[in-house]
Amino acid sequence: MDGHRVLRLGETLRATVDALPRLWRGAWGAILLAVVVWSAKAWAVGVGGLIWAPFGLVATLVLAGALGRIAITEDLPQARRLGLGPAGLQFGRPELRLLGAGLLCAVFLAMILSVVALALLALFGMAELNAQAIALRQWSAVGPVWKLALLALVTVFALFAVVAFTVRLSLFAPATIGRGHMVSLQSMSIARGAFWPLLVGLIVMSAPKIGLVLLWGAGLLSGTAGWVVFAVVLAGVQFPLSMALVGRAYRQLESRTAVEGKA
């Protein structure tokens, strides 16, 4: 049955871009709220950071709830029937479910990262590399080439495993809103058979964030002004793009899951 669970990447990307204006129209208030609150983080230092944290969390949940409702529906009236508020400003049970599902996914990924990190540390420890040569950056004296190549290959596979889990969990937000209850690890079954299209789609739609990171690394964005630009682009472009992508993917895959269940 997995052969029928195909996520058409080109169609999904086009639908994602086409849906962007609708997400802006329906959630402009939530986007503006997130921009203001996230921008304020630049001035929240020390104790101010602790005061800012709950406001940042609420603004993020409001934005995710608004964009998620719009992304999994055909039009704004349908999204409003799912609880979309005026300008995307609402806070109810769906937002609390998103918080719970997000925390469960975060805990699971943290466990995976811990296991991977411990396994790699043990492997590198057993490899008996020359620690002094590493500290002095004398790479030719670190150890045999075959051993370094093997360690690099294992590291790549371990990191890929973390990426794979992250991608397969990426549908938790639209699934939580669409199904009306918390969906965390169950989202991996929805994404079954669609890993590569999802991975490529998420990378393509991360272009705004990648651009910001490159500009920051080049020194063209910095300080408070740079952080405000980050907040504007992330809330106004990156987050809507990502949610539109996973929302579209969820709609396609969920409909095929329902067909498979009936079969």
Side-chain angles (χ1 to χ4, degrees), residues 98-117:
L98 284 175
L99 175 59
L103 289 174
L104 289 174
C105 290
V107 169
F108 176 72
L109 287 176
M111 293 171 59
I112 295 297
L113 282 171
S114 299
V115 171
V116 168

Side-chain angles (χ1 to χ4, degrees), residues 19-37 59 62-68 70 76 80 84-90 231-232 235-237 240:
L20 198 55
R22 181 161 52 90
L23 269 70
W24 285 334
R25 288 198 310 272
W28 65 267
I31 292 173
L32 182 59
L33 174 65
V35 168
V36 171
V37 174
V62 169
L63 181 58
L67 296 176
I70 301 171
L76 293 181
R80 293 189 183 102
L84 179 69
L89 297 173
Q90 71 293 300
V232 171
V237 182

Side-chain angles (χ1 to χ4, degrees), residues 105-163:
C105 290
V107 169
F108 176 72
L109 287 176
M111 293 171 59
I112 295 297
L113 282 171
S114 299
V115 171
V116 168
L118 290 174
L120 289 177
L121 283 174
L123 184 63
F124 275 80
M126 292 187 295
E128 298 180 347
L129 301 178
N130 190 329
Q132 186 176 1
I134 296 175
L136 297 174
R137 297 186 179 180
Q138 296 176 352
W139 307 118
S140 60
V142 171
V145 174
W146 68 266
K147 186 180 292 187
L148 296 178
L150 182 60
L151 290 173
L153 183 62
V154 172
T155 301
V156 168
F157 273 109
L159 294 178
F160 180 77
V162 175
V163 171

Side-chain angles (χ1 to χ4, degrees), residues 66-261:
L67 296 176
R69 288 176 174 90
I70 301 171
I72 65 170
T73 52
E74 291 289 346
D75 50 39
L76 293 181
Q78 286 187 21
R80 293 189 183 102
R81 286 194 288 272
L82 288 179
L84 179 69
L89 297 173
Q90 71 293 300
F91 193 90
R93 289 183 179 179
E95 282 70 28
L96 294 176
R97 295 188 191 108
L98 284 175
L99 175 59
L103 289 174
L104 289 174
C105 290
V107 169
F108 176 72
L109 287 176
M111 293 171 59
I112 295 297
L113 282 171
S114 299
V115 171
V116 168
L118 290 174
L120 289 177
L121 283 174
L123 184 63
F124 275 80
M126 292 187 295
E128 298 180 347
L129 301 178
N130 190 329
Q132 186 176 1
I134 296 175
L136 297 174
R137 297 186 179 180
Q138 296 176 352
W139 307 118
S140 60
V142 171
V145 174
W146 68 266
K147 186 180 292 187
L148 296 178
L150 182 60
L151 290 173
L153 183 62
V154 172
T155 301
V156 168
F157 273 109
L159 294 178
F160 180 77
V162 175
V163 171
F165 279 113
T166 303
V167 170
R168 294 192 65 183
L169 287 170
S170 63
L171 301 183
F172 84 90
T176 293
I177 294 175
R179 293 187 174 184
H181 59 82
M182 285 198 306
V183 178
S184 53
L185 302 187
Q186 304 97 310
S187 63
M188 291 194 292
S189 64
I190 303 174
R192 189 179 70 251
F195 169 75
W196 289 109
L198 270 176
L199 175 61
V200 175
L202 288 170
I203 292 174
V204 171
M205 291 304 164
S206 294
K209 181 167 60 177
I210 294 172
L212 288 174
V213 172
L214 292 177
L215 289 174
W216 192 280
L220 300 177
L221 283 178
S222 61
T224 301
W227 177 258
V228 172
V229 172
F230 254 90
V232 171
V233 175
L234 290 179
V237 182
Q238 183 61 73
F239 208 169
L241 275 175
S242 298
M243 191 62 78
L245 175 73
V246 296
R248 179 67 182 186
Y250 164 74
R251 287 174 57 191
Q252 288 190 33
L253 296 171
E254 182 77 333
S255 63
R256 286 165 190 158
T257 300
V259 170
E260 290 177 7

Side-chain angles (χ1 to χ4, degrees), residues 44-51:
V45 295
V47 178
L50 297 177
I51 298 174

